[in-house]
C-alpha cells in the first residue's frame, strides 16, 4: 500500500510543481520560434530558387524556360523537406528525445514497410528518371500510355517525384502515378506538321488550282508566327466521281500542328471562294425513274 502511494505521489508531484509548467512553457516557446524560423527560411529559399531559375527564362528559349519551371518545383520541395526535417529533429532533441534511436528504429521499420510499398518506391524512382532524363517538362503536350493503353493526353501542369498532373484539352485534370507510365509521347519537343486535305470539284484544272494555292500559301507565315516555313501543296491525295482531294502540309512550332491545321482550313476555304474555285458537289443518281422508263 505504501508503495502504491509512493508511485502515485511521484506521478502527481511534478504536476503540482510550478517549475514544471515554467519549463514546459519555455520549451513550447522555443518550439514555436523554431517553427516560425523554419517557415521564414523556407519562404526565403523558395524565392531565391525561383529567382535563380529566372535567368533561364530571360534567355527567350522556350525549352530552357519550361525546364526551369519543372526544376523550380522539384528543388523547392526537396529544400522544404530538408529544412522541416532539421527542424523536427531539433525540436525532438529539446524535449530530450534521442533522435539517433528514432532513426535506428525507423530504419528497421522502413525496411519492413518498404516491402509493402514497392509501388511508391517505383513511382519515386520513375519520377527521378522523368526529371533528370528530361522526358518532358511543365507546359509540354504529351500522351501517356500504360502497356499501350491510353491513360491521359494533355498539357503537363506539374511533375513530382511520385505523380504527374496532366490537364486535358477539355479541362479534366489527371493525377498519374509516375510508375504507371510505360510509354510517353511528347508532342512539344520537335517541330510539328499541319496536314490537311482540301476537296475541289473534279471539273477543276488541278494544275492551275495547285499553282494558285502555292502562291497564296507563301503569305501564311507572315500572318501566323506558328508556321516555320510556308506550307506547300503535296499533290492529289485521293479522288472520286465528283471531287479531288489536294493535300497541303506546313511545318509548325512544337505542339502547334493541330492549331496550324485549323488555320490552313479556314484560310484556304476563304481563298478558294475568293478565286471562284468550284467546291465538289455529290452526283445524284435517280435509279427509280430509270427503272420505270425501262418497264414502259
Amino acid at each position: 500500500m505504501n508503495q502504491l502511494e509512493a508511485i502515485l505521489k511521484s506521478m502527481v508531484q511534478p504536476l503540482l510543481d510550478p517549475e514544471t509548467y515554467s519549463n514546459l512553457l519555455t520549451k513550447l516557446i522555443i518550439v514555436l520560434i523554431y517553427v516560425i524560423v523554419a517557415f521564414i527560411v523556407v519562404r526565403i529559399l523558395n524565392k531565391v530558387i525561383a529567382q535563380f531559375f529566372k535567368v533561364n527564362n530571360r534567355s527567350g528559349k522556350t525549352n530552357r524556360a519550361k525546364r526551369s519551371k519543372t526544376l523550380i518545383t522539384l528543388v523547392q520541395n526537396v529544400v522544404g523537406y530538408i529544412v522541416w526535417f532539421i527542424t523536427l529533429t531539433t525540436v525532438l532533441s529539446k524535449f530530450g528525445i534521442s533522435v539517433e534511436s528514432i532513426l535506428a528504429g525507423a530504419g528497421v521499420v522502413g525496411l519492413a514497410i518498404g516491402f509493402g510499398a514497392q509501388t511508391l518506391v517505383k513511382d519515386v524512382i520513375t519520377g527521378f528518371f522523368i526529371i533528370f532524363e528530361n522526358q518532358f517538362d511543365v507546359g509540354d503536350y504529351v500522351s501517356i500510355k500504360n502497356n499501350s493503353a491510353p491513360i491521359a493526353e494533355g498539357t503537363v501542369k506539374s511533375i513530382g517525384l511520385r505523380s504527374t498532373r496532366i490537364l486535358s484539352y477539355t479541362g479534366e485534370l489527371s493525377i498519374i502515378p509516375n510508375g504507371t507510365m510505360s510509354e510517353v509521347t511528347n508532342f512539344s519537343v520537335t517541330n510539328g506538321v499541319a496536314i490537311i486535305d482540301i476537296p475541289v470539284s473534279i471539273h477543276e484544272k488541278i494544275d492551275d488550282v495547285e499553282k494558285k494555292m502555292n502562291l497564296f500559301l507563301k503569305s501564311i507565315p507572315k500572318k501566323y508566327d506558328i508556321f516555320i516555313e510556308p506550307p506547300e501543296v503535296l499533290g492529289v491525295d485521293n479522288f472520286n466521281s465528283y471531287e479531288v482531294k489536294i493535300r497541303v502540309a506546313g511545318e509548325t512550332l512544337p505542339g502547334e500542328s493541330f492549331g496550324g491545321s485549323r488555320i490552313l482550313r479556314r484560310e484556304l476555304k476563304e481563298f478558294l471562294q475568293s478565286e471562284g474555285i468550284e467546291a465538289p458537289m455529290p452526283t445524284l443518281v435517280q435509279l427509280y425513274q430509270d427503272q420505270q422508263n425501262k418497264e414502259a
Side-chain angles (χ1 to χ4, degrees), residues 192-228:
V193 179
I195 301 177
I196 63 170
D197 292 329
I198 299 297
V200 297
S201 173
I202 192 72
H203 304 294
E204 291 286 346
K205 293 183 179 180
I206 302 303
D207 287 340
D208 293 342
V209 173
E210 289 183 350
K211 290 178 181 178
K212 291 180 180 180
M213 289 175 63
N214 272 324
L215 186 62
F216 168 74
L217 290 171
K218 291 180 180 180
S219 64
I220 294 296
K222 298 178 182 178
K223 297 175 62 177
Y224 303 96
D225 295 335
I226 67 172
F227 288 95
I228 306 298

Side-chain angles (χ1 to χ4, degrees), residues 78-136:
V78 173
V79 170
Y81 293 148
I82 294 173
V83 171
W84 286 112
F85 177 77
I86 294 174
T87 303
L88 177 62
T89 55
T90 305
V91 169
L92 292 176
S93 64
K94 289 297 180 182
F95 282 91
I97 301 174
S98 177
V99 179
E100 292 79 6
S101 60
I102 293 177
L103 293 177
V108 177
V109 175
L111 183 62
I113 295 176
F115 289 102
Q118 295 181 7
T119 302
L120 177 61
V121 174
K122 180 181 178 182
D123 293 339
V124 173
I125 293 175
T126 306
F128 271 111
F129 281 111
I130 290 174
I131 293 170
F132 291 106
E133 288 184 355
N134 196 18
Q135 296 180 13
F136 53 83

